[in-house]
Amino acid sequence: MISPLIVKEFKDLIRDPRIWIPFIISALIMPIMGLVIAFPMKSAIEESLSGLKVGIVNLDKGREAVGLINFLGGSGVKVIDLTPYFSNTSNNNLIINDLVKLVKERKVNVDAVMIFPRAFTSRLAMKSKVPLVLFCLVREVSIFGSPKVYRITNLVEEYLRSRMLKGSSLNPNVIMNPVNLTSITYLEGKGILLRGDPQVVLSSLGFSAFFLPLILMIISVSVIQMAATSTAVENEERTLETLLTFPLSKFDVLLSKLLGSFGVSLIGSVLNLIGFVAYLYIFSIAIPSQTGFSVNLTSLLISGKDLAYLIVSLLATLFFMAALGVIVGALSSDVRIAGSIVGPLAMAVFIPGYFISFANLSSLSPALRALMYSLPLTQPIALAKKAVTESLPLHTPIYLMISLAFSVAIVALTARIFSLETLSSLQRRLSRLRRRR
Amino acid sequence: MEAVKVVNLTKRFGYFEALKGISFTVNEGEIFGLIGPNGAGKTTTFRIIAGLMKPTSGEVKVFGKDVVRETKEVRKLISYLPEEAGAYRNITGFEYLKMVAEIYFGKGSEAEEALELGIKLAGLGDSLYEKMKTYSKGMKRRIQVARALMVKPRVTILDEPTVGLDVIYSREVRGVVKDFSREYGLTVLISSHNMLEVEDICEKVAIINEGKVLTEGYVKDLLSEYDAKNLEEVFIRLVKGGK
Ligand SMILES: Nc1ncnc2c1ncn2[C@@H]1O[C@H](COP(=O)(O)OP(=O)(O)OP(=O)(O)O)[C@@H](O)[C@H]1O
Ligand SMILES: [Mg+2]
C-alpha cells in the first residue's frame, strides 16, 4: 500500500510555505519582469517622438541653416537659439568646452545641440557634403536611450536630401529605398514557406529556444530543492527510521517521495507556465507587432505530436530532477546541508543543457547527438530546438524511453543505497570530514 | 512459543565492536526489558531485530523467521518505535494514524479498527486534528506509541518509549503498554536505562553493558539471586563484580 504514503508526501509538501512560496514567487516574477521591461520600452519609444529640445549654434547664418532650423521647428522639435553665447568664436572645440560649462551651470536645458559651421549654406549650394556638429546630452543610461538622437539625424538628412535633389527630377524616397524588397524564408527541415526576412523569423524562433531552457531551469531547480528538502527533513526530524520499518520496500518509500514531490512540482510548473504566458501577453500588449508574431509562429510550427513528445520529455526531466533531489536529501543529515549541495548541483546539472541551447546539433557526431537526445538533462532542449526548425527525429519515442529508463535506474540505484545503515555511516563520515576542516 | 530469539549476535562499526555476542529469548505474550547504560548497544540490538541493520554475525529470529533472510515477513510481524521518532510538521496526528493504518491494512474495516484503537491509545482529544508541529514532546511520543501499538503487531519493539516524558505521562504510557499486552496477548520489547521503570512493567529483563549481556531472567528471580532490593542494585553488583 504505497498510495497513503504518496498522499502524505503530497500534503506535507503542499502545506509547507517553504515549498510553495518559491513557486508563487517565480511564477509572479515573470509577468512582473514583463512589466518592468515592456513599459519603459514603450514609454521610451513614445517619449522619443515628442518634446525633443534642440539647441542651435548658428555660425553660418545663411539661408540653408535658417531653412533647416525652420524645418526642425515645423516637425515638432523645440528649437532654442544658443548663438548669442558664442558670438566671438568659431572654433568647434572651444564651443564644445563652453557648452559643457553652460550645461554644468544649468544655464541651458536641451537634449542636443546642433552647431552649424560657417560653410554650411555655401557647401550645400555646391551640392557637396555638409559639415554639421551634433552635441548630445545623455542623462541616464538605458537600453532604449538612442531613439531621440536618431530622430534628429533623420530629420536633418531628410531636409538635406530634398535640398540637394531640388531642381532634379529624382525622388528622394526612391534614392533612399531603391528596392522594393519582398523577402521569403524557406525552412528546409520543415518544408515551410514564410513571408519575411530570415533574420526576423530566426530571431523569433531563437526567442522561444532561449526561453525554454530558462523555464526548465527555474522549474528544475525548485524540483531538486523541494525533493531534497522533503527527504532531508525525514533525516532531520527523525522520521525516516520509522518509515523504513513499515511493511514497504525501500523502493516504495523512495517512489512515494518521488511521486509526491513530482506531483507538487507539476502544480508549480503549471503556475510557472501561467506566469510565462502572462509575461508574453504583457509583452504583446506593450509591443504588439513583434512578440505576437513570434508566439503565433512558434505554435504554428510545432505539430501536435511533437508537442506531446516535448511535454513527455519535460516530465521525464522533472522526474529525473526529483530523483536527484531525493538522493541529495537522503545523504544530508539536515536541510541546511541539503540546500548547500543543491545550489552547485543545480548549476552543474545545467551545463549540458546550456551547451545544447547554443550548440549546433547537426555538427555533433551521431553518437554524441543520440546521447544529447537521450539524457534527461539535454533532451527537452535538444528536442525543442529540433521541433521548432524541423520535425522531431523518428526515434524520438526511443529517446523518451531511454530518458525515463535513466531516471528509473537512478531511483533503483538510490533504493539500493537507501538504508539506515549506509545513510548513518555516510552521514557520520561526512560530519567527521567537516569537523576536520 | 519463542517470539524473539537472539543468538550470539555481534555488530561491528568499522573497528568498533558495538555488540559482542548477545543472546536472549523472549516468549510470546511477555513484556521484555533490555536495560543498560548509554552506549550499551540497546538501540543497535533493536535495529537489527527490526531489520534496519544487518548483523555482523549471529542469528536473530522472530517467530522462527530469520530477520536477514526473511526481512519482508518479519516486517509484517513487528512494529518498531525508534528512540528518536520525529513527527511530520504539516500532517495532523489523525492523518498520520490514518496513513499508518492504511499502509498496514489498505482501505477497509481492518484499517478503520486500527485507526480507532490508535485514537484511543493516543488519547490526545481535539489536538489530534492539529498539525503535529504544534505538539509537545510528550504528545509526539504518545502518537508514536499509539502508532506502534494500534496495528496489533505480534511483536512491538519500543526503544525508550518514555524518553523525555514527565513522571505522570511515563506512568500513563507504561499503563497503556501493559494493558495492551495483557489484553491482546502480544509480545513487547522495551529498552531503557531507567532500571526502576523497567521493573514496573517488565516481567523478564536482560541487562547489557558494552555490548555484552551481563545477566538475563525474570525480575523476581534476579532480585533473589543477587539478593537485591531492585534492578539498579543488581546492575551495580554485576558491573563491580565484573571488574
Ligand atoms: N552507525 C554507527 N556507526 C558507528 N558507531 C555506532 C553507530 N551506531 C551506534 N554506534 C555505536 O555503538 C555503540 C552502541 O550504541 P547504541 O545506540 O546501540 O547504544 P544504546 O544502548 O542505545 O545507548 P543509549 O542509551 O544512549 O541510547 C555506541 O558506542 C555508539 O557510538
Ligand atoms: Mg539507544
Side-chain angles (χ1 to χ4, degrees):
Chain A
M1 279 314 280
I2 166 173
S3 63
L5 201 54
I6 301 174
V7 172
K8 170 239 134 192
E9 299 295 351
F10 190 82
K11 278 189 196 159
D12 203 16
L13 282 171
I14 205 83
R15 289 177 188 167
D16 190 345
R18 280 177 299 183
I19 300 293
W20 54 259
I21 286 180
F23 274 138
I24 303 256
I25 289 177
S26 67
L28 281 180
I29 274 178
M30 281 188 267
I32 291 174
M33 218 161 74
L35 289 174
V36 166
I37 299 174
F39 284 101
M41 198 176 193
K42 194 180 174 194
S43 63
I45 292 169
E46 281 167 359
E47 194 192 325
S48 66
L49 300 179
S50 68
L52 203 53
K53 272 189 259 177
V54 178
I56 299 292
V57 178
N58 187 356
L59 306 177
D60 178 69
K61 300 221 168 66
R63 190 161 53 90
E64 297 295 351
V66 175
L68 176 52
I69 291 166
N70 289 342
F71 177 72
L72 288 177
S75 310
V77 176
K78 198 165 174 227
V79 179
I80 298 160
D81 191 9
L82 302 178
T83 317
Y85 288 108
F86 305 96
S87 46
N88 44 19
T89 176
S90 61
N91 179 313
N92 282 341
N93 290 335
L94 290 180
I95 293 177
I96 289 167
N97 283 344
D98 286 352
L99 269 175
V100 170
K101 252 185 250 157
L102 283 175
V103 171
K104 268 191 188 156
E105 292 163 12
R106 301 191 179 281
K107 285 195 181 138
V108 298
N109 173 22
V110 290
D111 297 305
V113 177
M114 209 180 279
I115 304 168
F116 292 82
R118 289 229 162 86
F120 187 81
T121 302
S122 56
R123 293 292 287 264
L124 189 53
M126 290 178 332
K127 304 210 189 254
S128 53
K129 279 205 174 201
V130 176
L132 193 65
V133 179
L134 190 62
F135 174 91
C136 299
L137 277 93
V138 176
R139 297 202 171 81
E140 206 178 350
V141 177
S142 145
I143 314 174
F144 323 110
S146 45
K148 283 189 176 184
V149 184
Y150 278 133
R151 180 150 165 77
I152 303 174
T153 44
N154 278 348
L155 286 173
V156 169
E157 279 171 13
E158 192 184 333
Y159 177 78
L160 295 179
R161 220 176 281 131
S162 72
R163 294 303 294 163
M164 288 195 178
L165 293 176
K166 203 182 156 218
S168 80
S169 59
L170 292 174
N171 181 342
N173 246 333
V174 175
I175 296 285
M176 253 323 267
N177 298 308
V179 184
N180 208 347
L181 188 70
T182 309
S183 295
I184 293 168
T185 305
Y186 181 62
L187 284 178
E188 195 184 344
K190 285 199 177 268
I192 287 182
L193 272 181
L194 292 168
R195 287 187 181 278
D197 191 337
Q199 202 159 358
V200 176
V201 172
L202 286 182
S203 70
S204 339
L205 293 180
F207 173 81
S208 29
F210 169 77
F211 268 102
L212 186 79
L214 201 72
I215 294 182
L216 191 65
M217 186 147 114
I218 293 173
I219 296 176
S220 301
V221 169
S222 37
V223 173
I224 297 189
Q225 184 90 49
M226 189 175 61
T229 307
S230 97
T231 316
V233 161
E234 299 266 3
N235 277 328
E236 185 175 320
E237 310 257 343
R238 307 253 157 224
T239 46
L240 183 65
E241 203 173 339
T242 306
L243 211 54
L244 289 176
T245 59
F246 287 151
L248 298 168
S249 72
K250 283 180 280 178
F251 185 75
D252 287 345
V253 169
L254 265 190
L255 197 66
S256 358
K257 199 121 233 127
L258 270 181
L259 292 177
S261 356
F262 184 62
V264 174
S265 69
L266 275 189
I267 296 181
S269 313
V270 169
L271 279 180
N272 271 295
L273 221 63
I274 294 174
F276 181 60
V277 171
Y279 168 86
L280 288 183
Y281 182 68
I282 288 172
F283 231 69
S284 67
I285 300 178
I287 301 122
S289 60
Q290 287 174 13
T291 331
F293 168 67
S294 78
V295 177
N296 293 338
L297 191 66
T298 311
S299 56
L300 218 158
L301 289 181
I302 299 180
S303 74
K305 196 177 91 198
D306 284 2
L307 197 65
Y309 281 154
L310 266 182
I311 289 171
V312 172
S313 167
L314 280 169
L315 294 183
T317 301
L318 286 192
F319 196 72
F320 175 77
M321 296 295 167
L324 273 190
V326 168
I327 298 175
V328 169
L331 303 184
S332 315
S333 53
D334 61 60
V335 173
R336 218 158 29 88
I337 294 177
S340 62
I341 300 176
V342 160
L345 183 73
M347 292 289 182
V349 155
F350 268 90
I351 293 173
Y354 215 63
F355 166 72
I356 280 302
S357 67
F358 287 103
N360 190 354
L361 274 173
S362 52
S363 68
L364 298 177
S365 72
L368 195 57
R369 196 167 6 158
L371 187 69
M372 294 294 147
Y373 279 132
S374 309
L375 279 181
L377 302 179
T378 50
Q379 187 190 58
I381 297 168
L383 288 185
K385 272 181 80 158
K386 190 88 172 163
V388 165
T389 50
E390 298 172 40
S391 301
L392 286 182
L394 277 177
H395 321 301
T396 303
I398 298 174
Y399 293 140
L400 291 176
M401 299 297 270
I402 295 176
S403 168
L404 281 171
F406 200 80
S407 301
V408 171
I410 279 220
V411 177
L413 203 75
T414 317
R416 291 193 62 156
I417 63 158
F418 193 66
S419 82
L420 196 70
E421 191 153 11
T422 43
L423 292 186
S424 77
S425 71
L426 245 167
Q427 282 161 16
R428 265 169 193 255
R429 227 172 286 164
L430 210 84
S431 63
R432 224 176 298 152
L433 216 92
R434 249 185 309 151
R435 241 176 290 140
R436 212 173 292 162
R437 253 195 235 154
Chain B
M1 190 183 181
E2 281 171 356
V4 178
K5 191 174 170 67
V6 176
V7 182
N8 237 334
L9 178 65
T10 68
K11 178 69 187 177
R12 223 183 258 280
F13 295 110
Y15 296 113
F16 177 72
E17 202 168 20
L19 301 180
K20 300 169 183 150
I22 281 188
S23 306
F24 60 82
T25 313
V26 185
N27 294 316
E28 189 170 8
E30 279 178 348
I31 301 184
F32 173 87
L34 190 61
I35 55 182
N38 294 127
K42 305 181 294 290
T43 299
T44 306
T45 307
F46 278 1
R47 280 178 170 169
I48 292 172
I49 300 174
L52 285 169
M53 276 185 178
K54 294 217 160 52
T56 305
S57 72
E59 198 179 56
V60 179
K61 286 198 165 152
V62 177
F63 284 106
K65 293 198 182 346
D66 189 278
V67 293
V68 179
R69 271 173 284 131
E70 297 162 284
T71 315
K72 237 181 162 170
E73 281 73 36
V74 171
R75 285 245 167 100
K76 284 179 194 145
L77 298 174
I78 60 161
S79 97
Y80 171 67
L81 169 64
E83 184 172 12
E84 298 172 76
Y88 296 108
R89 298 177 54 81
N90 300 304
I91 301 289
T92 69
F94 176 78
E95 286 171 332
Y96 181 64
L97 294 180
K98 189 160 173 248
M99 173 191 89
V100 175
E102 284 174 4
I103 287 177
Y104 276 84
F105 303 115
K107 284 194 167 94
S109 59
E110 219 179 340
E112 268 163 41
E113 252 170 62
L115 179 58
E116 225 164 274
L117 178 61
I119 293 171
K120 203 181 94 198
L121 290 175
L124 287 180
D126 287 342
S127 307
L128 197 63
Y129 302 95
E130 271 161 36
K131 287 185 187 167
M132 288 198 276
K133 66 178 165 197
T134 64
Y135 287 13
S136 71
K137 217 193 277 176
M139 291 160 85
K140 282 181 194 161
R141 207 65 190 155
R142 286 190 72 135
I143 275 281
Q144 286 300 331
V145 171
R147 182 275 297 168
L149 297 179
M150 72 183 203
V151 295
K152 288 190 231 154
R154 303 276 300 273
V155 177
T156 309
I157 302 171
L158 306 172
D159 196 354
E160 309 208 15
T162 57
V163 71
L165 300 188
D166 63 32
V167 187
I168 297 172
Y169 245 179
S170 321
R171 255 186 107 92
E172 255 180 64
V173 168
R174 284 203 297 273
V176 165
V177 173
K178 235 173 173 171
D179 293 347
F180 179 83
S181 165
R182 205 169 294 150
E183 194 175 337
Y184 300 101
L186 300 174
T187 315
V188 181
L189 274 64
I190 285 186
S191 84
S192 180
H193 50 249
N194 182 345
M195 319 244 165
L196 301 177
E197 173 184 285
V198 172
E199 242 180 281
D200 176 30
I201 176 170
C202 303
E203 39 219 298
K204 197 178 179 187
V205 296
I207 298 180
I208 69 168
N209 190 27
E210 294 174 353
K212 276 184 287 208
V213 175
L214 301 180
T215 189
E216 183 206 353
Y218 289 94
V219 176
K220 287 184 297 231
D221 297 350
L222 289 179
L223 291 182
S224 62
E225 184 182 330
Y226 290 88
D227 189 22
K229 281 200 289 292
N230 54 40
L231 284 176
E232 208 166 271
E233 267 186 43
V234 175
F235 176 73
I236 288 167
R237 239 165 255 179
L238 280 167
V239 173
K240 283 200 176 140
K243 274 174 191 168

